[in-house]
Amino acid sequence: MVGKRGGRSAAIRAAAAGCTLLMAVAVTGCGGDDKPAAKHRPVAMTGRSGAALPVPHGRGSKVPDDFNGDGAPDLVLDDLVHDGLGDDAGIGVVYGRKGHGLVPGARQLLRPAKYAAPTGGETPAAFDSEASCDLDKDGFTDLVVSTDPPFDGQGQPPVPLQILFGGPGGLTHQGVKLVVPAQARFGNDWPDQPVCGDFDGDGSVDLTVHASGGRLSFLRGPFTRKGAPRAAGKPLAAPGNVPVGPAFDIDSDGYDDLLVRRTSAGSSPSRIVLGGPQGPARSGAALPSGLGLAVGRFAKGSGADTALLTASGVTPSRPGARALKATGKAITAGDFDGDGVAELVVSGGAVTLLGTGGGAAVTVTPSATGTTQVLRTADFDGDGRADLAVRTYRGESADTVAVYTGVKSGKLVAAKPQVTFSTAEFTS
C-alpha cells in the first residue's frame, strides 16, 4: 500500500523496540552517600506543571544520550499518552541537569509535522526513536528516528531513517534523511534497525542497518550534517536479520560488537557479531533462544559478560556463575550501588533487581497502578550509580514515569522515586 510500510518491517520494528529493553551496557562508577539530598525530593508534575521550562544550553560532552551537551543524560519517550495530536503524537524528550537528574519541566515534543523531513511533499505519519549517538562527532548526541515514506512496492524501498542532530539547545533542527549508498544496500527489504557503535575502532561512531537476506549495511562515521557516512562498502554477511542495540565491546579488544537475532520472533536464537577493522564482520558466540539478553560487568575484575533470560530464570555466561531464579519478559543491567559490578533488572508484571553475586532480590513497586515497563537504566544525577526509569500505563489515557535513584546500600534503589511525571505533559 502506498505510503505505508510492509507488515514484515513493522513486526521487526516492534521486536527491536522490545530488544532495546533487553540489552544494556552496565553503568559503573564510584560510591557515595545513599541518603538523598534535598534537591532530590520527588517532583510531581502530572497536570500541574504549567508551561515547559527552557532547555538548558550545553557546550558538548561525552555523556550518552546528552542531546544538549550539558553533561547530563536525557530521556527519550515514545508512545506518548495524548489527546487530539493525531495517530502519532511524536517523540518526547525530558532533559537532565548536571548534578541533579531529569527535569520534567525541561521537555520537548518532537512532532513529525515540525521535525520530520518530508518525502515528495508528504509528512511522515510515523515518527519513532530508534537509536541515539553522536554521529557527527561534535559532542552532542543525535537521535535516529524511523518514518514511513511513501513506497509503491516496486524495487528497493526508500530509506525510512532520519537523523535529528543535537546541539547546544537540544534537538532543535528538522531531521535529515540517512544516506545509505547504493553499494551498501542489498535486496528489497526496508533498510532499518539502526545500531550505533564504533565497530571499526577509529574513534568515530558508525551505524549498522539491516539490509536483506542475512546482511548488514555498515556505514562508517563520522556522518555529515546531510546524513551521509564517511564511507560504506558492500553489505556484510550476518548470522540473522535483526541487529539489536546498544552495541558493546564484549571481548575488550577496542571494537564494539553487537547482537544479531536470527528472526524477529521474541525467542529467536541470536549470535554476537564481533567488530574489527572491517566493521562487524566476524561471528562470535552463539546464544540459545531466550526472552532477552543483558550485557554488563557481573563480577569484579571481569570484562563484559552476558546474562540470558529464559522462562526458567537467568543464566550468566561467566564460567562458574550460578543461575538466578527470576520470572519476567525483559532484562537489562545497571550498577545501582556503584561498586563496579552490575545488577540485573528483570521486568514483566513486577520489576526485580538481582545481584549476580548473591543477596536478596529487590522488588520495585511503583505507587501508580497499571502495567509497568522498564524504560532505561542510566546515571541521571551524576553520582556514579545507575538510576532506574520505569513507566506505568493505566489503559491508553494515563501513565506515570518514575525515576528511582541508585543507593549504596543493599536496597540498590531508593524506596521512593526522585521524580515522577506523565507523558500527557507533552502537548506542544
Side-chain angles (χ1 to χ4, degrees):
M1 181 170 60
V2 176
K4 298 294 181 182
R5 300 172 64 182
R8 175 195 172 282
S9 182
I12 291 181
R13 288 203 312 278
C19 289
T20 60
L21 305 176
L22 307 184
M23 183 171 67
V25 177
V27 178
T28 58
C30 304
D33 192 349
D34 62 348
K35 295 180 181 180
K39 64 183 179 182
H40 287 166
R41 287 177 295 185
V43 179
M45 72 173 237
T46 305
R48 297 191 297 274
S49 66
L53 299 174
V55 173
H57 277 232
R59 297 182 178 180
S61 80
K62 295 184 179 180
V63 174
D65 294 327
D66 183 9
F67 302 108
N68 58 334
D70 67 345
D74 309 315
L75 181 65
V76 177
L77 296 153
D78 283 294
D79 302 320
L80 307 178
V81 171
H82 65 280
D83 182 22
L85 293 180
D87 293 336
D88 190 338
I91 302 166
V93 180
V94 174
Y95 288 88
R97 189 170 76 227
K98 191 173 182 179
H100 173 84
L102 294 178
V103 181
R107 60 187 185 268
Q108 182 181 21
L109 177 61
L110 306 174
R111 297 200 65 190
K114 180 177 180 181
Y115 289 94
T119 298
E122 182 176 329
T123 299
F127 205 57
D128 301 298
S129 67
E130 296 286 351
S132 57
C133 48
D134 184 4
L135 291 170
D136 58 350
K137 211 174 181 178
D138 66 348
F140 301 91
T141 302
D142 311 310
L143 185 66
V144 184
V145 301
S146 62
T147 66
D148 59 344
F151 177 52
D152 62 6
Q154 303 299 313
Q156 288 188 333
V159 177
L161 301 173
Q162 298 186 12
I163 303 171
L164 276 66
F165 287 100
L171 299 167
T172 58
H173 299 287
Q174 187 181 55
V176 299
K177 298 175 183 179
L178 174 68
V179 177
V180 181
Q183 70 271 17
R185 296 194 64 173
F186 179 86
N188 293 332
D189 282 358
W190 289 90
D192 54 11
Q193 310 310 317
V195 178
C196 299
D198 183 8
F199 300 107
D200 58 6
D202 68 350
S204 297
V205 177
D206 315 308
L207 279 179
T208 60
V209 179
H210 164 72
S212 296
R215 288 173 175 81
L216 299 175
S217 296
F218 173 48
L219 311 177
R220 295 180 187 263
F223 287 70
T224 71
R225 280 285 180 138
K226 293 183 178 180
R230 174 178 62 84
K234 294 181 179 180
L236 303 175
N241 280 300
V242 187
V244 178
F248 51 91
D249 184 5
I250 197 166
D251 53 1
S252 301
D253 65 351
Y255 301 98
D256 279 343
D257 314 310
L258 77 157
L259 183 76
V260 176
R261 299 171 73 93
R262 185 178 299 170
T263 69
S264 60
S267 58
S268 169
S270 55
R271 184 180 287 271
I272 293 172
V273 177
L274 302 172
Q278 305 307 315
R282 298 174 295 137
S283 289
L287 300 170
S289 300
L291 300 173
L293 181 78
V295 177
R297 180 172 294 172
F298 298 139
K300 289 187 176 180
S302 69
D305 189 16
T306 62
L308 184 70
L309 174 66
T310 66
S312 59
V314 179
T315 305
S317 64
R318 178 169 44 87
R322 64 184 181 88
L324 304 172
K325 292 184 178 180
T327 302
K329 297 179 180 179
I331 186 171
T332 187
D335 180 9
F336 298 101
D337 54 7
D339 65 352
V341 177
E343 289 78 39
L344 295 166
V345 184
V346 178
S347 59
V351 178
T352 305
L353 278 62
L354 302 168
T356 54
V362 175
T363 300
V364 177
T365 305
S367 58
T369 59
T371 302
T372 297
Q373 170 196 41
V374 174
L375 292 174
R376 191 174 164 216
T377 62
D379 184 9
F380 291 112
D381 56 9
D383 65 356
R385 299 186 291 266
D387 309 314
L388 179 67
V390 299
R391 184 179 180 185
T392 303
Y393 294 86
R394 297 184 302 282
E396 297 181 354
S397 59
D399 71 349
T400 299
V401 176
V403 179
Y404 296 84
T405 57
V407 296
K408 191 175 181 180
S409 68
K411 296 179 181 179
L412 298 181
V413 294
K416 294 184 178 180
Q418 178 255 338
V419 66
T420 62
F421 62 93
S422 170
T423 67
E425 294 294 327
F426 294 92
T427 57
S428 60

